[in-house]
Amino acid sequence: LDWVVAHQHDYQTPRLLINLSGLSFINEEFLDFVVHQLKTRGVDPKRLAFEITETAAVDNMDKANVFIDTVRKLGCNFALDDFGSGFSTFAYLKSLPIDYLKIDGSLVKNLATDGIDREMVKAINKIGHTVGAQTIAEFVEDDATLQYLREMGVDYAQGYGLCKPRA
């Protein structure tokens, strides 16, 4: 959060996504810590989104909803990460008030050469938009993949094909 406070006006990103472990977001003390930090550190909550994996959210649905509701009331957004690694969870999307749905990189990395992956990503993108979430494709490594994602209407992409990590 120190880095975010120091640099929150230096970048044109719509949101900085902070990836949480499944153990973190279910810890009530951690939630209290996050709330305290957001209220006292001068961080613009509209610039932040927290993310947890699909599996962690489904395994801890009640606690996920408490965490999501709390940080959203403070102005932050919420992302469901690695979506598509377990398709039995489509129904859970109706129960989680998410802002972003991150499409699992295992489906994205071969998108340009695998028709089945393309159809799966299309379906995830469509259901994400249907529940009111913006979609983010992980593991975008080349221009061909990015072009397919644009044609599908995926909202955002991340991966080395766009930019290598930097400080």
Side-chain angles (χ1 to χ4, degrees):
L1 287 177
D2 289 337
W3 184 91
V4 172
V5 170
H7 299 282
Q8 64 186 335
H9 301 294
D10 297 344
Y11 296 95
Q12 298 301 317
T13 56
R15 298 259 188 286
L16 175 66
L17 278 77
I18 300 171
N19 199 322
L20 301 177
S21 75
L23 295 176
S24 295
F25 87 91
I26 63 171
N27 181 325
E28 291 177 23
E29 290 177 15
F30 179 72
L31 179 56
D32 292 340
F33 171 78
V34 169
V35 169
H36 177 74
Q37 294 299 309
L38 290 172
K39 289 182 175 181
T40 62
R41 297 294 292 273
V43 176
D44 179 2
K46 293 182 180 119
R47 301 289 307 264
L48 298 178
F50 292 94
E51 64 179 81
I52 60 170
T53 64
E54 168 191 15
T55 304
V58 169
D59 288 347
N60 301 284
M61 188 68 79
D62 291 338
K63 291 189 179 202
N65 274 311
V66 168
F67 190 94
I68 294 168
D69 289 341
T70 302
V71 298
R72 288 182 86 207
K73 285 177 183 169
L74 293 171
C76 298
N77 284 126
F78 195 82
L80 192 59
D81 194 14
D82 294 338
F83 192 82
S85 58
F87 276 99
S88 63
T89 59
F90 266 108
Y92 291 113
L93 286 177
K94 295 187 332 185
S95 303
L96 291 169
I98 60 170
D99 301 291
Y100 299 97
L101 184 64
K102 294 184 74 177
I103 303 167
D104 189 67
S106 67
L107 299 174
V108 176
K109 68 181 179 180
N110 297 316
L111 191 73
T113 58
D114 189 320
I116 294 172
D117 284 348
R118 275 194 301 277
E119 292 304 315
M120 292 171 75
V121 170
K122 281 182 193 177
I124 293 169
N125 185 58
K126 184 174 181 174
I127 195 72
H129 288 159
T130 299
V131 300
Q134 291 184 302
T135 52
I136 303 170
E138 301 175 327
F139 213 93
V140 178
E141 301 297 312
D142 55 55
D143 290 338
T145 300
L146 184 60
Q147 184 58 38
Y148 275 111
L149 294 168
R150 283 183 174 142
E151 290 170 7
M152 291 177 196
V154 172
D155 299 297
Y156 297 101
Q158 70 181 63
Y160 287 174
L162 301 166
C163 185
K164 302 262 186 202
R166 58 185 178 186

